[in-house]
Amino acid sequence: MPQVDIHPVKNQQELEEMFYQRWLVLRSPLGMEIGSERDNNEDDALHLIAMCDRKIIASARLRQLSLELGSISYVAVLPEFQNRGIGTKLIENLIAKAQEKNLKTVRLLSRINAIKFYQKLGFSEQDKPFEFLGIPHIFMHLDIQP
């Protein structure tokens, strides 16, 4: 596989390309319109992208919710690049960024079919599954070591 570079979004062009990649992976398969891949918290978040041959192949977001709690969301890896460790590297990078911010816990909302992926990274299930966007999801959390 060619070289993959993981870094924070650097400019508006990368941000727009990331939103499109996020929509392709997370919203288009659900029949949702472009724009549904964004929310009101984009400006307050750290966006990481994975690039290969100048194309965004994966992305994820970290947002600080309080002094001790962070939220990981919009984890999206293009299907042809899944199961190659790219998503794992994105999450590990976001956990490291959360540690730099002295956060104690990060949480995320996982689709049921991704639970094992997050469990391998140390996340634990919280509460019970519920429907979100017509798909079963569950909250998961990870206590971060300083």
Side-chain angles (χ1 to χ4, degrees):
M1 185 170 87
Q3 180 72 24
V4 174
D5 174 42
I6 295 176
H7 63 267
V9 167
K10 296 177 185 171
N11 55 48
Q12 190 64 31
Q13 180 180 343
E14 278 189 353
L15 185 66
E16 292 303 320
E17 290 174 11
M18 181 211 64
F19 286 137
Y20 182 73
Q21 179 270 339
R22 184 195 284 179
W23 173 79
L24 276 177
V25 175
L26 299 176
R27 298 298 191 258
S28 178
L30 302 178
M32 298 176 74
E33 295 180 5
I34 287 184
S36 62
E37 76 286 353
R38 305 177 191 212
D39 63 27
N40 294 329
N41 302 304
E42 302 298 348
D43 292 341
D44 300 329
L46 168 68
H47 300 280
L48 284 187
I49 55 176
M51 296 192 76
C52 180
D53 294 330
R54 290 176 276 172
K55 176 182 177 182
I56 297 175
I57 60 169
S59 59
R61 178 178 95 173
L62 173 67
R63 199 165 68 89
Q64 188 167 339
L65 302 178
S66 71
L67 288 176
E68 296 186 348
L69 178 64
S71 172
I72 292 175
S73 57
Y74 296 110
V75 179
V77 180
L78 290 174
E80 62 268 31
F81 290 94
Q82 291 176 3
N83 301 307
R84 296 187 185 188
I86 297 165
T88 297
K89 286 183 177 147
L90 272 177
I91 299 299
E92 289 172 345
N93 271 267
L94 289 180
I95 292 168
K97 297 291 185 188
Q99 286 173 312
E100 290 171 15
K101 294 176 177 279
N102 295 315
L103 300 178
K104 306 277 188 252
T105 306
V106 288
R107 73 171 193 194
L108 55 83
L109 183 58
S110 173
R111 293 180 180 190
I112 295 299
N113 65 353
I115 289 174
K116 287 183 179 162
F117 167 74
Y118 292 113
Q119 285 174 334
K120 288 179 187 175
L121 290 162
F123 285 83
S124 302
E125 298 169 49
Q126 283 184 304
D127 303 319
K128 295 181 179 170
F130 60 94
E131 292 284 315
F132 178 68
L133 301 175
I135 302 171
H137 283 71
I138 192 164
F139 276 106
M140 301 185 79
H141 76 279
L142 173 71
D143 292 327
I144 301 174
Q145 302 301 317

